[in-house]
């Protein structure tokens, strides 16, 4: 665009805007209204309309004379605080109605505890029965895999051996129950492997559960494809999700397996203590080392915890004391200085006094 063309465009724009402004003035375009003038500090604008707040009582309240108390709400303007009238307040009701009530007349619906009603009775028995009937049943407690189902199968079979006591319909139900229990036992993920151990054979890995509840998982090499091998080479387990899901499903059963193993071990506390002492005597012939080992075994016996743990510790400690008295005597016996030195280092509450 040349300089002459730019000047012509500017002149044309000015002419167009001048014509539009003149046309608007001629037609009388409305201008924005001016705010009303405030005279003598008063706002000339009209007041906003008032709204009536109606208060309705749940129950009819009567005064001492028997007349019905009329409650009239005070009108209040929008956006301003009004007078609050509490339903069921006889004092406020009588003041508004122009009467006076000598006694405390309360609305029955606003009374928390009514005279003569036993508030401590609690829900009825029918309510509790309906609630329990509609509640979800509790899951069975954690058990050793297959043992609970095996016990149920044995119980049903013992009933079938007394078939003469049952009707044909009851016998058919018992046989169907055995079939269902056998299916449930076959569906158990943990299968007995002997010696208190269990195993599972999944599609891509094998699981070995030891007697103490610990788990070993091994992948099946024949199921690994090229992508799986590449992931394993970079330290990524391609089956980690499936393994975690398996551990979640079998957690309660593995806990039950470990608890049973610990109970068995605690019941054998004295036997295990004897095994450790025999191994100590077979390992060294140094009397000082034998004395130190026997003391440490005595000091490691549990004194606190649940009943089975304390009982196991007490049995093991009694065996250690008996072993010391039978093997460490005469020239090999603990001297008073050795007993005092070891007793000062003990962690147990009981004193180390093997010959008392």
């Amino acid at each position: 665009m040349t300089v002459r063309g730019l000047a012509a465009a500017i002149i044309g724009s000015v002419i167009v805007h001048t014509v539009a402004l003149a046309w608007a003035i001629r037609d009388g375009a409305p201008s924005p209204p001016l705010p009303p003038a405030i005279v003598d500090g008063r706002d000339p604008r009209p007041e906003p309309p008032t709204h009536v707040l109606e208060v309705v009582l749940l129950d009819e309240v009567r005064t001492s004379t028997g007349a019905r108390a009329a409650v009239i709400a005070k009108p209040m303007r929008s956006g301003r605080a009004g007078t609050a009238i509490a339903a069921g307040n006889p004092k406020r009701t009588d003041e508004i109605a122009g009467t006076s009530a000598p006694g405390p007349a309360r609305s029955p619906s606003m009374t928390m505890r009514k005279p003569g009603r036993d508030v401590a009775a609690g829900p009825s028995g029918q309510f509790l029965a309906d609630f329990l009937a509609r509640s979800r049943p509790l899951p069975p407690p954690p058990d050793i895999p297959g043992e609970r189902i095996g016990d149920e199968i044995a119980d049903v079979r013992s009933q079938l051996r007394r078939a003469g006591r049952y009707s044909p319909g009851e016998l058919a139900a018992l046989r169907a129950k055995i079939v269902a229990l056998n299916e449930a036992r076959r569906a158990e993920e943990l299968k007995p492997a002997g010696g208190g151990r269990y195993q599972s054979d999944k599609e891509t890995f094998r699981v070995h559960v030891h007697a103490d509840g610990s788990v070993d998982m091994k992948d099946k090499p024949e199921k690994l494809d090229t992508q799986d091998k590449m992931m394993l080479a970079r330290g990524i387990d391609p089956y980690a999700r499936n393994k975690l899901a398996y551990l979640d499903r079998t957690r309660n059963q593995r806990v039950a397996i470990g608890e049973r193993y610990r109970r068995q071990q605690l019941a054998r506390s004295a036997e295990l203590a004897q095994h450790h002492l025999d191994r100590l005597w077979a390992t060294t012939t140094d009397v000082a080392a034998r004395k130190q080992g026997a003391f440490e075994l005595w000091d490691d016996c549990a004194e606190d915890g649940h009943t089975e743990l304390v009982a196991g510790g007490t049995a093991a400690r009694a065996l250690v004391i008996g072993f010391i008295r039978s093997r460490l005597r005469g020239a090999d016996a603990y001297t008073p200085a050795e007993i005092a030195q070891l007793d000062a280092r003990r962690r147990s509450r009981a004193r180390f006094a093997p010959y008392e």
Side-chain angles (χ1 to χ4, degrees):
M1 181 180 290
T2 63
V3 176
R4 291 181 181 181
L6 177 61
I10 295 174
I11 293 172
S13 176
V14 171
I15 294 173
V16 171
H17 284 81
T18 303
V19 173
L21 181 61
W23 177 78
I25 295 174
R26 186 191 65 181
D27 289 351
S31 58
L34 298 175
I38 299 177
V39 181
D40 298 334
R42 295 177 298 170
D43 190 352
R45 290 176 293 184
E47 295 185 358
T50 59
H51 300 279
V52 178
L53 176 65
E54 297 182 358
V55 179
V56 180
L57 295 178
L58 297 177
D59 287 296
E60 182 178 323
V61 179
R62 296 184 178 275
T63 62
S64 58
T65 59
R68 179 176 180 178
V71 180
I72 303 176
K74 178 181 178 180
M76 65 179 181
R77 295 182 180 180
S78 300
R80 299 184 181 181
T83 303
I85 302 176
N89 188 340
K91 180 178 180 181
R92 185 60 182 159
T93 303
D94 292 335
E95 289 177 356
I96 297 174
T99 60
S100 61
R106 295 178 61 87
S107 171
S109 297
M110 303 304 296
T111 302
M112 296 298 293
R113 293 183 176 89
K114 296 182 179 182
R117 177 178 294 181
D118 186 8
V119 297
S124 64
Q126 183 63 34
F127 171 81
L128 294 176
D130 294 341
F131 179 80
L132 295 176
R134 291 175 172 82
S135 300
R136 180 180 300 178
L138 294 176
D143 61 345
I144 305 299
E147 290 192 359
R148 177 180 57 84
I149 297 178
D151 293 340
E152 293 183 10
I153 292 176
D155 181 66
V156 175
R157 286 177 175 171
S158 66
Q159 295 179 31
L160 288 175
R161 284 194 291 268
R162 301 187 297 271
R165 302 181 180 182
Y166 302 100
S167 64
E170 292 174 337
L171 291 175
L174 290 174
R175 294 189 180 97
K177 186 176 181 180
I178 281 189
V179 172
L181 289 173
N182 284 323
E183 291 292 335
R185 184 162 61 178
R186 280 192 292 269
E188 288 273 8
E189 290 192 277
L190 293 175
K191 308 293 185 182
R197 297 170 298 162
Y198 295 84
Q199 63 184 5
S200 294
D201 189 10
K202 312 305 292 185
E203 182 181 359
T204 56
F205 57 91
R206 295 182 179 89
V207 183
H208 297 276
V209 179
H210 300 283
D212 60 354
S214 58
V215 181
D216 286 336
M217 291 184 170
K218 295 182 179 179
D219 297 327
K220 294 182 177 179
E222 65 274 12
K223 296 293 183 179
L224 296 175
D225 56 18
T226 304
Q227 181 178 354
D228 295 338
K229 294 178 181 178
M230 292 176 61
M231 294 177 66
L232 288 174
R234 294 183 174 272
I236 303 174
D237 189 349
Y239 309 129
R241 181 177 179 181
N242 295 336
K243 293 177 182 178
L244 291 175
Y246 173 86
L247 293 175
D248 287 339
R249 291 194 303 269
T250 61
R251 178 179 293 109
N252 291 338
Q253 289 183 321
R254 290 184 289 107
V255 169
I257 293 172
E259 289 180 350
R260 181 179 68 175
Y261 175 78
R262 282 185 286 275
R263 287 195 301 269
Q264 293 174 349
Q265 294 299 103
L266 290 173
R268 299 175 54 223
S269 295
E271 177 186 349
L272 296 175
Q274 180 69 51
H275 173 73
H276 290 313
L277 289 170
D278 292 340
R279 185 176 181 181
L280 172 64
W281 252 246
T283 303
T284 180
T285 58
D286 183 32
V287 177
R290 289 178 173 180
K291 290 180 178 179
Q292 180 66 30
F295 165 76
E296 291 178 357
L297 185 59
W298 173 91
D299 197 31
D300 285 341
C301 294
E303 294 179 321
D304 299 316
H306 54 85
T307 305
E308 295 174 345
L309 179 62
V310 174
T314 302
R317 179 166 286 181
L319 185 136
V320 172
I321 293 297
F323 187 90
I324 291 174
R325 292 176 179 176
S326 63
R327 295 293 186 91
L328 295 176
R329 57 183 181 178
D332 295 338
Y334 287 96
T335 65
E338 290 175 338
I339 293 176
Q341 182 182 7
L342 294 174
D343 187 65
R345 294 165 42 195
R346 62 181 167 84
R347 294 173 297 175
S348 304
R349 291 194 305 270
R351 292 176 52 250
F352 181 62
Y355 302 115
E356 293 183 3

